[in-house]
Amino acid sequence: MKIIMLGAPGAGKGTQADRISKKYDIPHISTGDIFRENLRQGTPLGKQAKEYMDQGLLVPDELTCNLVVDRIAQDDAAEGYILDGFPRTVPQAEALTAALKERGEAVDFAIDVDVPDSFIMERMSGRRSCPKCGAGYHVVFLAPKQENICDQCGSELVQRDDDKPETVSKRLDVYHAQTQPLIEYYTAAGVLKTVDGTRKMDEVFEEIISILD
Ligand code: AP5
Ligand code: MG
């Protein structure tokens, strides 16, 4: 099963992709996570990506597409995967379609987690994540048992650099201009499914499962 998660920054793509990945035992491939991991390790890719991410802009397609095409060719992705944060532009979607077509494959589901802009600031400002194990939290909607400490590994939680209000607002503009057109692209491909992302995380997940099953 090859799944794409679409949706605005903070819509809950990562939250749902993580659950889908566990339930269906397929890898969760997040380009944002890959860039952040590269940055932590100080790689040239991480340093290049940071310049764009800090401004709320997209990393150029040529840095992004090859990375994903290589990643989905790895053994653990043979039975499928969930792409979170890719594609994000029409050229990226075209590159993915072409790479899959070469192998006689296609995307099975493009799930759009639909959340209006008015919800996004609250989601982003409360988001926390574990720098060690990657677990995600929200200070109100998914609070850790002990304040600012990861339930899973005990590390201190951090806030993402690009979750500052001014960067979030830029990311939203970029989303509407460059990523939203993919809704039309995947509608035309006959694989778009829209879920109401304003509901509780468990309810959103139930709706996604009912589509995938
Ligand atoms: P990326 O990391 O992909 O960020 P994003 O798309 O902006 O999305 P987020 O990760 O911020 O949000 P999310 O939808 O995953 O929400 P989450 O589940 O965390 O990309 C970062 C940057 O990398 C980009 O700006 C760009 O520069 C670069 N990049 C990445 N991919 C690229 C590409 N393909 N091309 C070019 N550049 C690329 O949820 C948010 C919060 O809300 C959490 O705290 C969560 O707990 C909470 N929450 C989730 N669901 C609910 C719910 N139903 N109710 C209440 N709270 C909820
Ligand atoms: Mg995410």
Side-chain angles (χ1 to χ4, degrees):
M1 192 152 53
K2 296 172 206 65
I3 307 166
I4 286 172
M5 299 301 289
L6 298 175
K13 302 180 295 295
T15 302
Q16 298 300 333
D18 200 43
R19 294 178 180 206
I20 296 167
S21 157
K22 290 191 176 105
K23 179 167 168 68
Y24 297 96
D25 197 23
I26 49 176
H28 171 190
I29 302 172
S30 156
T31 39
D33 287 350
I34 293 172
F35 292 139
R36 283 184 287 275
E37 182 55 31
N38 272 272
L39 182 60
R40 264 191 296 276
Q41 294 182 1
T43 70
L45 174 67
K47 286 175 193 156
Q48 270 178 301
K50 182 181 163 56
E51 284 177 33
Y52 298 93
M53 293 169 82
D54 282 354
Q55 297 179 65
L57 300 173
L58 296 183
V59 176
D61 290 342
E62 55 272 26
L63 288 180
T64 312
C65 290
N66 292 341
L67 180 118
V68 174
V69 170
D70 288 350
R71 178 63 187 87
I72 61 179
Q74 286 173 22
D75 288 348
D76 68 332
E79 299 298 317
Y81 41 81
I82 171 148
L83 290 178
D84 160 17
F86 183 95
R88 242 184 164 92
T89 62
V90 171
Q92 289 183 12
E94 287 168 345
L96 178 65
T97 302
L100 291 175
K101 203 170 168 192
E102 266 181 31
R103 291 185 263 160
E105 298 175 354
V107 166
D108 298 302
F109 299 98
I111 298 174
D112 177 34
V113 185
D114 186 28
V115 175
D117 290 7
S118 55
F119 282 72
I120 299 295
M121 280 298 172
E122 190 183 18
R123 294 237 180 137
M124 300 300 226
S125 58
R127 172 164 55 190
R128 299 291 182 275
S129 59
C130 176
K132 195 163 170 216
C133 74
Y137 298 90
H138 190 283
V139 294
V140 178
F141 305 125
L142 191 64
K145 292 191 187 80
Q146 197 185 333
E147 197 182 325
N148 223 35
I149 299 295
C150 180
D151 291 347
Q152 291 179 28
C153 73
S155 303
E156 197 170 329
L157 302 180
V158 295
Q159 204 171 2
R160 260 169 57 175
D161 285 343
D162 58 350
D163 280 350
K164 290 185 290 232
E166 55 283 15
T167 317
V168 171
S169 139
K170 181 68 196 168
R171 284 161 61 199
L172 273 172
D173 292 345
V174 167
Y175 166 76
H176 290 301
Q178 292 184 262
T179 308
Q180 216 168 13
L182 294 183
I183 292 178
E184 212 171 294
Y185 182 94
Y186 285 107
T187 301
V191 293
L192 187 88
K193 303 282 176 190
T194 302
V195 298
D196 177 359
T198 64
R199 302 192 322 187
K200 293 203 169 73
M201 292 172 209
D202 290 347
E203 294 171 8
V204 179
F205 186 51
E206 287 304 318
E207 194 180 342
I208 294 175
I209 292 174
S210 72
I211 291 166
L212 301 180
D213 283 347

